[in-house]
Amino acid sequence: MIALMLTASVSYADDIEKKKVRGAYGEWAMSPDLTGGEVMSRARHEAKEDALRKAGVGENVWSIFGMMSTSTSSTFMEAYSEMSVMAIEGKVAISKEEGAWTLSEAGNPVYTVKMDAEVTIDNTEEDKTYAVSTSGISTHYNNGDKCTCSFTVDGTDSYLKVFFFNDEMAGMIFPSTPEHKQMQFKVGQTYMFPLPQGTRQGSIQMRKNGADPENVVILFVATKKNYPYLGENDAASILQWIYNLPANDRAIEVKQCVIY
């Protein structure tokens, strides 16, 4: 687990458009670890991704975190994958679908899908001048080590949320007090995290839950407006909250580390 210690509504409907696409295609091959229904579902998912591409939506339909390393927390990645699917499901409305089982050249069953669909496109673009940057978080910690870092925001004064994900759980570690919930961080100014209290500097204690190394993801989420997080302490709820923020109103820094 990660423990904190002291050691000393926006509307942007005008940016939404809809495009009709025809002949989006997807396929998936049968394998021993999948049922027929799972194969069909994955083929449909591939076809929806193709519909997005045909409509001009990028390959990565939910790219705010970019590529994750192989050491990423499994809890985080499971929720991330689910949110990616939800992003596609919410964007593609099928108007016509044809599916069929065929055999590959090797004789393996393959399910293929062709569909026509209406794709909803959100043209809200990320603000490239808006960013939150951290310094001081290592990629490796020993069990019980204490971590401090600094952060700055560029572009505009901001509010901050900090979330953690490990292999078993997730949660928000900042803000934790009414004062911090209303705190605005000035553009270009460097702040220590966790925030000092009086003369004592806060730290994050890096503790793992078992004997094996533990993978951790820490998210710093800056927002131009003070959007409260009222969700549960689970990865899916946190990622859904982030996903629903207007793209031009948020900036995200992703830090990954391993506790040994």
Side-chain angles (χ1 to χ4, degrees):
M1 61 180 296
I2 295 180
L4 281 178
M5 296 187 65
L6 286 174
T7 59
S9 138
V10 177
S11 175
Y12 50 105
D14 291 343
D15 295 314
I16 302 296
E17 65 173 311
K18 296 181 183 293
K19 288 187 178 181
K20 295 184 183 298
V21 299
R22 298 177 62 85
Y25 178 81
E27 66 176 49
W28 204 269
M30 177 65 79
S31 60
D33 60 326
L34 296 176
T35 66
E38 289 170 334
V39 170
M40 295 170 68
S41 177
R42 295 191 182 192
R44 295 178 77 247
H45 183 81
E46 291 290 305
K48 288 182 178 182
E49 286 189 331
D50 190 42
L52 290 171
R53 288 190 288 270
K54 289 180 181 297
V57 179
E59 291 279 345
N60 191 348
V61 298
W62 192 47
S63 61
I64 61 176
F65 296 112
M67 294 299 293
M68 290 290 153
S69 77
T70 55
S71 65
T72 302
S73 156
S74 58
T75 298
F76 181 93
M77 285 309 297
E78 288 172 6
Y80 180 85
S81 297
E82 290 177 5
M83 283 305 303
S84 297
V85 172
M86 289 174 63
I88 292 176
E89 294 293 331
K91 293 177 184 293
V92 180
I94 301 171
S95 57
K96 180 181 178 182
E97 178 180 339
E98 296 178 354
W101 286 97
T102 62
L103 292 178
S104 68
E105 293 183 359
N108 297 319
V110 176
Y111 190 74
T112 63
V113 176
K114 288 185 179 180
M115 64 174 58
D116 300 338
E118 183 178 71
V119 177
T120 300
I121 303 173
D122 182 356
N123 290 314
T124 304
E125 296 184 358
E126 294 184 17
D127 183 349
K128 301 300 184 181
T129 67
Y130 188 41
V132 56
S133 304
T134 64
S135 178
I137 298 180
S138 175
T139 56
H140 300 84
Y141 289 94
N142 292 321
N143 190 35
D145 281 353
K146 294 169 183 175
C147 166
T148 60
C149 68
S150 62
F151 70 92
T152 59
V153 292
D154 296 313
T156 187
D157 296 347
S158 300
Y159 300 89
L160 183 71
K161 306 288 188 298
V162 182
F163 302 94
F164 80 89
F165 305 77
N166 62 21
D167 290 335
E168 296 183 0
M169 63 184 70
M172 184 172 70
I173 58 177
F174 183 86
S176 58
T177 68
E179 294 77 17
H180 288 165
K181 290 178 181 179
Q182 301 301 319
M183 188 172 182
Q184 192 175 44
F185 297 92
K186 301 298 182 182
V187 64
Q189 185 170 332
T190 299
Y191 295 89
M192 293 300 298
F193 184 82
L195 300 183
Q197 293 188 18
T199 60
R200 297 182 295 171
Q201 172 57 52
S203 68
I204 303 171
Q205 188 172 36
M206 310 297 276
R207 290 195 178 279
K208 58 182 181 176
N209 293 314
D212 296 331
E214 184 167 291
N215 303 305
V216 171
V217 175
I218 304 175
L219 298 183
F220 287 75
V221 183
T223 55
K224 297 178 181 179
K225 300 180 184 295
N226 194 5
Y227 299 100
Y229 179 70
L230 304 175
E232 300 295 328
N233 286 328
D234 63 76
S237 297
I238 293 168
L239 294 181
Q240 185 172 15
W241 177 80
I242 296 172
Y243 170 73
N244 285 329
L245 294 173
N248 59 352
D249 266 7
R250 53 159 161 74
I252 298 168
E253 174 90 322
V254 183
K255 306 302 292 189
Q256 300 178 80
C257 59
V258 181
I259 305 174
Y260 290 94

